[in-house]
Amino acid sequence: MLVKDVDSWNRIIRQGEGYIYNDFGTQFPGDSPTWNTRDFNKLHRATCTQVKRMTYITEGKLTKHFFQSRKEAIDWLESNRKEQGYTFCTFCNP
């Protein structure tokens, strides 16, 4: 589920369950041929310290997706972000 408002975002963070996909790289690819989109698209646990520093929007764009389970997240990523690529957060190792 794309997180569309601050109330939903705060509830997800407060509950600390599930996974957050930060779709940063596909939203801000820039014009540089050296931009590595894959490294900016990360799947985190909702409890990750990196997530707690984030907001649900970046420069006015919706960039966070919430999933109840790791399987749900990976199924969505494989269907929707396989071409762009994605990584798993090394801080929380989902």
Side-chain angles (χ1 to χ4, degrees):
M1 155 185 95
L2 182 63
V3 180
K4 296 182 179 179
D5 60 78
V6 69
D7 291 336
S8 297
W9 178 250
N10 289 336
R11 184 178 66 253
I12 291 165
I13 301 306
R14 189 173 50 254
Q15 290 175 346
E17 297 173 0
Y19 292 83
I20 298 290
Y21 172 63
N22 186 8
D23 201 18
F24 185 82
T26 57
Q27 295 295 320
F28 303 96
D31 295 326
S32 171
T34 60
W35 181 270
N36 187 343
T37 300
R38 180 181 176 272
D39 286 349
F40 287 96
N41 297 333
K42 293 193 186 296
L43 182 65
H44 303 265
R45 290 180 189 267
T47 57
C48 181
T49 57
Q50 300 296 305
V51 169
K52 293 179 191 244
R53 297 177 19 204
M54 297 177 190
T55 60
Y56 76 101
I57 57 171
T58 304
E59 294 184 18
K61 294 184 180 184
L62 299 173
T63 56
K64 306 303 183 291
H65 296 264
F66 171 73
F67 303 96
Q68 293 286 337
S69 70
R70 179 183 167 96
K71 181 184 180 334
E72 179 187 6
I74 292 173
D75 288 349
W76 186 89
L77 289 166
E78 286 296 310
S79 294
N80 296 283
R81 294 298 185 264
K82 192 170 186 172
E83 267 185 50
Q84 297 89 356
Y86 59 90
T87 59
F88 298 98
C89 174
T90 58
F91 290 100
C92 62
N93 295 310

